[in-house]
Amino acid sequence: ASADVRVYGPTGFELLRTARVAVTPAHVWRVLVAPSRWWDGAHSYSGDARNLTLAPRAGGCFCERVPQTGATIEHGRVVFAQPNALLRLSAALGPLQAEAVTGTLSWTLRAVEGGTEITQSYAVGGYVRGGAERMAGPVDAVMTIQFNRLVAAAGR
């Protein structure tokens, strides 16, 4: 996989990464829409990815429940879902949720010879106390972990 912090500044940043897997877009889609299979639970509120769900339709929730406390969290809202091709969320993930930002997280699946090219982009913009540029590196590190886990799970 290749990764890139494409742009960053005081009001936002863009992350982009791409990988190829030797499976069909339909297979990648089935894995993608089941975050409990690939999301790193260490980067969740409950500590357990099995508490994550994603409804792959416009308005659907990428949500988490925390059984220990009864809390529920909306990590993102689906704004575009085209099975086997594109999933886009409006999502200010992790520490960004407490800031005045909008995050757009997209996964594009493209059939290529021998499999599927997966592209993940995450564009974040708005007001971050202390400046968004300080968040680009840490957010990129976590999104790299998640992307690599998706690629590994899809490739199985």
Side-chain angles (χ1 to χ4, degrees):
S2 61
D4 191 13
V5 178
R6 298 188 49 90
V7 179
Y8 66 94
T11 60
F13 55 88
E14 179 188 2
L15 312 175
L16 183 68
R17 57 192 37 84
T18 302
R20 289 185 177 203
V21 291
V23 296
T24 66
H27 177 80
V28 176
W29 179 264
R30 286 190 299 276
V31 174
L32 174 61
V33 300
S36 62
R37 292 178 57 187
W38 58 272
W39 195 269
D40 185 353
H43 297 285
S44 69
Y45 288 89
S46 67
D48 188 344
R50 292 176 294 184
N51 294 315
L52 297 169
T53 59
L54 191 145
R57 64 182 184 287
C61 188
F62 172 32
C63 288
E64 180 178 359
R65 60 182 178 74
V66 183
Q68 307 91 308
T69 66
T72 58
I73 299 99
E74 179 181 280
H75 294 288
R77 176 81 32 200
V78 176
V79 296
F80 193 117
Q82 182 178 343
N84 312 327
L86 176 65
L87 182 64
R88 180 171 296 132
L89 308 176
S90 178
L93 297 171
L96 296 172
Q97 192 180 61
E99 303 297 334
V101 301
T102 299
T104 303
L105 176 59
S106 301
W107 291 277
T108 304
L109 311 179
R110 185 172 67 90
V112 295
E113 187 174 327
T116 303
E117 181 180 81
I118 306 168
T119 300
Q120 175 189 283
S121 71
Y122 192 33
V124 174
Y127 177 73
V128 176
R129 290 167 281 207
E133 67 270 28
R134 71 178 180 80
M135 299 295 290
V139 172
D140 183 56
V142 172
M143 295 310 293
T144 297
I145 290 167
Q146 305 304 359
F147 184 74
N148 290 342
R149 290 174 61 91
L150 170 62
V151 169
R156 283 189 214 118

